Amino acid sequence: MEELPVPQNIKISNITCDSFKICWDMEPRVKERITHYFIDLNKKENKNSNKFKHKDVPTKLVAKAVPLPMTVRGHWFLSPRTEYTVAVQTASKQTDGDYAVSEWSEIIEFTTADYSTVHLTQLLEKAEVIAGRMLRFSVFYRNQNKEYFDQAKEVHGNRMLPAVKDNSGSHGSPISGKLEGLYFSCNTEFNTGKPPQDSPYGRTRFEIQAETLFNPKTNLYFGDFYCMYTAYHYVILVLAPQGSPGDDFCKARLQALDVTNNHFLTCTVDEEAGDGALVFQHAQDVILEVIYTEPVDLALGTVSEISGHQLMSLSTVNAKKDPSCKTCNISVGR
């Protein structure tokens, strides 16, 4: 029997966070003999990976021969933002049940995509379920070490400058490693209504009136929902002044929220006061991490020492999401 031809000119297209399309050139004269495709899919080796760590099991897919391009989909073996290699064999099932196969094709490399807005909406809906009731607050705050604020004053013209977001949270988050901003908190203690006196990020705190960063001229976006193998759940929100570069970035990638009516962070006019004053509320049952996309002048707020401790164990810097948590995971790659 004539050997089956090796698939040539492989092309990968329509890449999402948990699927892709694959096609290749096939000689018309042997098409009718091909009954199956074998696809060898592997995570690309990381040169810096721990050589003693258990390696991912390679994924060998067997598919019935269908017209190309063929869609490969599966959150159980495809993760977002991950480099993969893929090679293909054509096969012909014999009468005895065995397969005649071609040689393997060349190996092609590709990288899966971030979560789409569809996936982020699924995360948003899960976060809404556990957000809890809304509590009033009046300030955003940001903790760092004293040296950070000294540098802001002496080197950056008294300003805190946006930095690229780290890789904490969901692996498929479209803002990790891309969006520039400043992290702020707004959660308050239930019994005092004020910011807590402990922080994972340093004992020096910058406080700023909520209205300065969050007002009717600010757009609000949902960024992520995750936990770190603990009972605490975190929601990442993005505040971007309308028309700013950060706003343009978020419009294309994130789910916009109504600033006056959502489950996490709201800004409304106090109708009872009658003076146009703004009222701010945050969700009680999740920890909000608010990213503001523009530089902030220290003169707009106050810098002081907190009386509590620096709880390093609660830091979320580059924190990995718990992939087994049913509360904050969706059915795509983690």
Side-chain angles (χ1 to χ4, degrees):
M1 183 181 290
E2 184 184 358
E3 286 188 3
L4 294 174
V6 178
Q8 303 287 340
N9 196 24
I10 294 173
K11 290 187 175 65
I12 304 291
S13 62
N14 296 75
I15 300 170
T16 72
C17 65
D18 64 349
S19 69
F20 62 92
K21 286 188 175 182
I22 185 169
C23 67
W24 57 87
D25 294 341
M26 279 203 299
E27 296 177 23
R29 61 188 177 82
V30 295
K31 269 188 180 180
E32 63 275 7
R33 285 179 48 210
I34 296 170
T35 61
H36 291 78
Y37 308 137
F38 292 175
I39 298 173
D40 185 18
L41 182 68
N42 295 282
K43 282 186 180 178
K44 190 176 176 183
E45 284 292 330
N46 182 352
K47 292 176 182 176
N48 299 321
S49 63
N50 184 343
K51 290 185 172 63
F52 298 100
K53 186 180 177 184
H54 175 71
K55 289 186 178 180
D56 288 306
V57 177
T59 301
K60 297 284 197 303
L61 305 174
V62 179
K64 286 188 176 180
V66 295
L68 299 176
M70 178 179 74
T71 298
V72 178
R73 182 187 307 278
H75 66 265
W76 58 94
F77 56 77
L78 281 172
S79 297
R81 281 189 170 211
T82 304
E83 293 182 317
Y84 288 93
T85 61
V86 65
V88 185
Q89 281 179 318
T90 53
S92 176
K93 193 169 186 178
Q94 309 298 293
T95 53
D96 60 3
D98 285 342
Y99 290 92
V101 295
S102 71
E103 295 293 321
W104 284 105
S105 71
E106 63 175 325
I107 295 172
I108 300 295
E109 297 180 0
F110 70 99
T111 303
T112 46
D114 298 335
Y115 283 162
S116 69
T117 51
V118 172
H119 301 118
L120 285 174
T121 299
Q122 292 174 18
L123 272 181
L124 167 64
E125 290 169 351
K126 278 182 161 278
E128 288 174 341
V129 172
I130 70 157
R133 69 190 185 98
M134 302 293 280
L135 300 177
R136 284 199 178 198
F137 75 100
S138 59
V139 297
F140 288 105
Y141 54 95
R142 173 176 170 82
N143 278 68
Q144 290 286 335
N145 54 44
K146 182 178 180 297
E147 290 73 24
Y148 170 85
F149 292 105
D150 288 343
Q151 185 176 42
K153 292 173 185 174
E154 297 161 10
V155 180
H156 302 310
N158 209 46
R159 297 186 307 160
M160 296 184 293
L161 301 182
V164 176
K165 184 195 171 298
D166 64 4
N167 288 315
S168 61
S170 301
H171 190 53
S173 170
I175 60 177
S176 292
K178 295 180 180 178
L179 177 68
E180 293 188 359
L182 292 163
Y183 270 109
F184 283 90
S185 300
C186 63
N187 288 80
T188 54
E189 291 184 319
F190 177 71
N191 56 341
T192 66
K194 296 180 179 179
Q197 282 299 307
D198 299 317
S199 171
Y201 306 109
R203 299 196 67 245
T204 306
R205 174 174 291 173
F206 173 78
E207 280 193 12
I208 187 169
Q209 290 298 306
E211 185 173 351
T212 310
L213 303 185
F214 189 28
N215 53 63
K217 293 183 179 180
T218 314
N219 284 334
L220 176 66
Y221 298 91
F222 173 82
D224 200 4
F225 177 44
Y226 72 100
C227 71
M228 307 182 298
Y229 303 90
T230 67
Y232 303 110
H233 274 88
Y234 297 81
V235 170
I236 297 179
L237 302 174
V238 182
L239 285 175
Q242 293 174 4
S244 65
D247 191 32
D248 292 340
F249 177 95
C250 293
K251 271 181 183 174
R253 297 167 177 84
L254 301 182
Q255 178 78 42
L257 300 176
D258 182 345
V259 298
T260 66
N261 183 23
N262 65 79
H263 288 74
F264 312 109
L265 189 71
T266 60
C267 169
T268 55
V269 175
D270 189 344
E271 301 291 351
E272 294 179 6
D275 58 359
L278 297 177
V279 174
F280 301 93
Q281 292 183 298
H282 71 81
Q284 175 186 359
D285 294 342
V286 290
I287 298 174
L288 297 181
E289 297 183 304
V290 181
I291 299 175
Y292 187 73
T293 61
E294 302 304 305
V296 174
D297 196 315
L298 292 176
L300 295 173
T302 60
V303 177
S304 61
E305 291 288 310
I306 58 173
S307 60
H309 302 285
Q310 184 171 347
L311 305 173
M312 298 296 290
S313 62
L314 295 180
S315 171
T316 62
V317 175
N318 286 315
K320 298 305 177 191
K321 181 173 182 174
D322 177 1
S324 64
C325 178
K326 291 182 171 60
T327 300
C328 61
N329 280 292
I330 56 176
S331 59
V332 294
R334 307 300 179 222

Short mmCIF file of all heavy atoms in Angstrom, two decimals, residues 169-196:
data_model
loop_
_atom_site.label_atom_id
_atom_site.label_comp_id
_atom_site.label_asym_id
_atom_site.label_seq_id
_atom_site.Cartn_x
_atom_site.Cartn_y
_atom_site.Cartn_z
N GLY A 169 -3.92 36.63 39.95
CA GLY A 169 -5.28 36.39 39.50
C GLY A 169 -5.39 35.32 38.43
O GLY A 169 -4.53 34.45 38.30
N SER A 170 -6.46 35.40 37.65
CA SER A 170 -6.73 34.38 36.62
C SER A 170 -5.65 34.39 35.55
O SER A 170 -5.20 35.45 35.11
CB SER A 170 -8.09 34.65 35.96
OG SER A 170 -9.13 34.64 36.90
N HIS A 171 -5.25 33.18 35.15
CA HIS A 171 -4.18 33.06 34.15
C HIS A 171 -4.58 33.69 32.82
O HIS A 171 -3.73 34.17 32.07
CB HIS A 171 -3.83 31.59 33.97
CG HIS A 171 -2.60 31.35 33.15
ND1 HIS A 171 -1.39 31.96 33.44
CD2 HIS A 171 -2.39 30.61 32.04
CE1 HIS A 171 -0.48 31.58 32.54
NE2 HIS A 171 -1.06 30.77 31.68
N GLY A 172 -5.87 33.71 32.53
CA GLY A 172 -6.32 34.24 31.24
C GLY A 172 -6.68 35.71 31.27
O GLY A 172 -7.20 36.24 30.28
N SER A 173 -6.41 36.40 32.38
CA SER A 173 -6.80 37.80 32.50
C SER A 173 -6.15 38.66 31.42
O SER A 173 -4.92 38.64 31.27
CB SER A 173 -6.41 38.34 33.88
OG SER A 173 -6.56 39.74 33.92
N PRO A 174 -6.93 39.44 30.68
CA PRO A 174 -6.35 40.26 29.60
C PRO A 174 -5.61 41.50 30.09
O PRO A 174 -5.02 42.22 29.29
CB PRO A 174 -7.59 40.67 28.78
CG PRO A 174 -8.71 40.62 29.74
CD PRO A 174 -8.40 39.52 30.71
N ILE A 175 -5.62 41.76 31.42
CA ILE A 175 -4.92 42.95 31.92
C ILE A 175 -3.56 42.60 32.52
O ILE A 175 -2.71 43.47 32.66
CB ILE A 175 -5.77 43.72 32.95
CG1 ILE A 175 -6.12 42.86 34.16
CG2 ILE A 175 -7.02 44.27 32.29
CD1 ILE A 175 -6.89 43.61 35.23
N SER A 176 -3.33 41.34 32.86
CA SER A 176 -2.06 40.96 33.48
C SER A 176 -0.89 41.17 32.50
O SER A 176 -0.94 40.72 31.36
CB SER A 176 -2.08 39.50 33.93
OG SER A 176 -2.98 39.33 35.01
N GLY A 177 0.14 41.87 32.98
CA GLY A 177 1.31 42.11 32.15
C GLY A 177 1.08 43.11 31.04
O GLY A 177 1.96 43.32 30.19
N LYS A 178 -0.10 43.76 31.01
CA LYS A 178 -0.41 44.68 29.91
C LYS A 178 -0.92 46.04 30.40
O LYS A 178 -0.44 47.08 29.97
CB LYS A 178 -1.46 44.05 28.98
CG LYS A 178 -0.96 42.80 28.27
CD LYS A 178 -2.04 42.21 27.37
CE LYS A 178 -1.54 40.95 26.66
NZ LYS A 178 -2.59 40.33 25.82
N LEU A 179 -1.92 46.02 31.28
CA LEU A 179 -2.50 47.28 31.75
C LEU A 179 -1.56 47.98 32.73
O LEU A 179 -1.02 47.34 33.64
CB LEU A 179 -3.85 47.01 32.44
CG LEU A 179 -4.54 48.23 33.04
CD1 LEU A 179 -5.01 49.19 31.94
CD2 LEU A 179 -5.72 47.82 33.91
N GLU A 180 -1.41 49.28 32.57
CA GLU A 180 -0.63 50.07 33.52
C GLU A 180 -1.57 50.80 34.47
O GLU A 180 -2.59 51.35 34.04
CB GLU A 180 0.26 51.09 32.78
CG GLU A 180 1.36 50.43 31.97
CD GLU A 180 2.34 51.44 31.41
OE1 GLU A 180 2.14 52.66 31.65
OE2 GLU A 180 3.29 51.03 30.74
N GLY A 181 -1.22 50.79 35.76
CA GLY A 181 -2.07 51.47 36.72
C GLY A 181 -1.47 51.46 38.11
O GLY A 181 -0.36 50.96 38.34
N LEU A 182 -2.22 52.04 39.04
CA LEU A 182 -1.85 52.09 40.45
C LEU A 182 -2.91 51.33 41.25
O LEU A 182 -4.10 51.60 41.12
CB LEU A 182 -1.81 53.54 40.95
CG LEU A 182 -0.70 54.43 40.38
CD1 LEU A 182 -1.04 55.90 40.64
CD2 LEU A 182 0.63 54.08 41.02
N TYR A 183 -2.47 50.40 42.09
CA TYR A 183 -3.41 49.66 42.94
C TYR A 183 -3.87 50.53 44.10
O TYR A 183 -3.07 51.13 44.81
CB TYR A 183 -2.72 48.42 43.51
CG TYR A 183 -2.85 47.18 42.65
CD1 TYR A 183 -1.75 46.67 41.96
CD2 TYR A 183 -4.06 46.49 42.56
CE1 TYR A 183 -1.85 45.52 41.19
CE2 TYR A 183 -4.16 45.34 41.80
CZ TYR A 183 -3.07 44.86 41.11
OH TYR A 183 -3.18 43.73 40.36
N PHE A 184 -5.19 50.54 44.33
CA PHE A 184 -5.77 51.15 45.52
C PHE A 184 -6.73 50.18 46.17
O PHE A 184 -7.25 49.26 45.52
CB PHE A 184 -6.55 52.43 45.15
CG PHE A 184 -5.68 53.62 44.87
CD1 PHE A 184 -5.22 53.87 43.57
CD2 PHE A 184 -5.31 54.49 45.89
CE1 PHE A 184 -4.42 54.97 43.30
CE2 PHE A 184 -4.50 55.59 45.62
CZ PHE A 184 -4.06 55.84 44.33
N SER A 185 -6.95 50.39 47.46
CA SER A 185 -7.97 49.64 48.21
C SER A 185 -9.04 50.61 48.66
O SER A 185 -8.82 51.83 48.72
CB SER A 185 -7.35 48.96 49.43
OG SER A 185 -6.33 48.06 49.05
N CYS A 186 -10.22 50.05 48.99
CA CYS A 186 -11.28 50.89 49.55
C CYS A 186 -12.07 50.15 50.62
O CYS A 186 -12.98 50.73 51.21
CB CYS A 186 -12.20 51.41 48.46
SG CYS A 186 -13.10 50.12 47.58
N ASN A 187 -11.75 48.87 50.83
CA ASN A 187 -12.49 48.10 51.83
C ASN A 187 -12.36 48.74 53.21
O ASN A 187 -11.30 49.28 53.57
CB ASN A 187 -11.98 46.65 51.87
CG ASN A 187 -12.40 45.87 50.65
OD1 ASN A 187 -11.79 45.99 49.58
ND2 ASN A 187 -13.46 45.09 50.77
N THR A 188 -13.42 48.66 53.98
CA THR A 188 -13.45 49.24 55.32
C THR A 188 -13.73 48.14 56.35
O THR A 188 -14.23 47.07 56.01
CB THR A 188 -14.54 50.31 55.44
OG1 THR A 188 -15.80 49.74 55.03
CG2 THR A 188 -14.23 51.50 54.55
N GLU A 189 -13.39 48.44 57.59
CA GLU A 189 -13.72 47.50 58.66
C GLU A 189 -15.19 47.65 59.03
O GLU A 189 -15.71 48.77 59.14
CB GLU A 189 -12.84 47.78 59.89
CG GLU A 189 -11.38 47.41 59.64
CD GLU A 189 -10.53 47.60 60.88
OE1 GLU A 189 -10.73 48.62 61.58
OE2 GLU A 189 -9.67 46.73 61.15
N PHE A 190 -15.84 46.52 59.22
CA PHE A 190 -17.29 46.52 59.43
C PHE A 190 -17.68 47.33 60.66
O PHE A 190 -18.67 48.05 60.68
CB PHE A 190 -17.78 45.07 59.57
CG PHE A 190 -19.25 44.96 59.87
CD1 PHE A 190 -20.19 45.25 58.91
CD2 PHE A 190 -19.69 44.58 61.14
CE1 PHE A 190 -21.55 45.16 59.18
CE2 PHE A 190 -21.04 44.48 61.42
CZ PHE A 190 -21.98 44.77 60.44
N ASN A 191 -16.87 47.22 61.73
CA ASN A 191 -17.25 47.86 62.99
C ASN A 191 -16.92 49.35 63.06
O ASN A 191 -17.54 50.10 63.82
CB ASN A 191 -16.60 47.14 64.18
CG ASN A 191 -15.09 47.06 64.05
OD1 ASN A 191 -14.56 47.23 62.96
ND2 ASN A 191 -14.39 46.83 65.15
N THR A 192 -15.94 49.81 62.27
CA THR A 192 -15.54 51.22 62.34
C THR A 192 -15.93 52.02 61.10
O THR A 192 -16.04 53.25 61.15
CB THR A 192 -14.01 51.35 62.50
OG1 THR A 192 -13.37 50.86 61.31
CG2 THR A 192 -13.52 50.57 63.72
N GLY A 193 -16.13 51.35 59.97
CA GLY A 193 -16.41 52.05 58.73
C GLY A 193 -15.20 52.73 58.14
O GLY A 193 -15.29 53.50 57.19
N LYS A 194 -14.01 52.44 58.71
CA LYS A 194 -12.77 53.06 58.26
C LYS A 194 -11.82 52.01 57.68
O LYS A 194 -12.00 50.81 57.92
CB LYS A 194 -12.11 53.79 59.43
CG LYS A 194 -12.93 54.96 59.95
CD LYS A 194 -12.23 55.64 61.11
CE LYS A 194 -13.06 56.82 61.61
NZ LYS A 194 -12.41 57.50 62.76
N PRO A 195 -10.79 52.44 56.94
CA PRO A 195 -9.81 51.47 56.41
C PRO A 195 -9.15 50.69 57.55
O PRO A 195 -8.94 51.25 58.63
CB PRO A 195 -8.80 52.34 55.68
CG PRO A 195 -9.55 53.58 55.34
CD PRO A 195 -10.51 53.81 56.48
N PRO A 196 -8.80 49.43 57.33
CA PRO A 196 -8.10 48.65 58.36
C PRO A 196 -6.71 49.22 58.62
O PRO A 196 -6.13 49.87 57.75
CB PRO A 196 -8.01 47.25 57.75
CG PRO A 196 -8.13 47.46 56.28
CD PRO A 196 -9.02 48.65 56.10
#
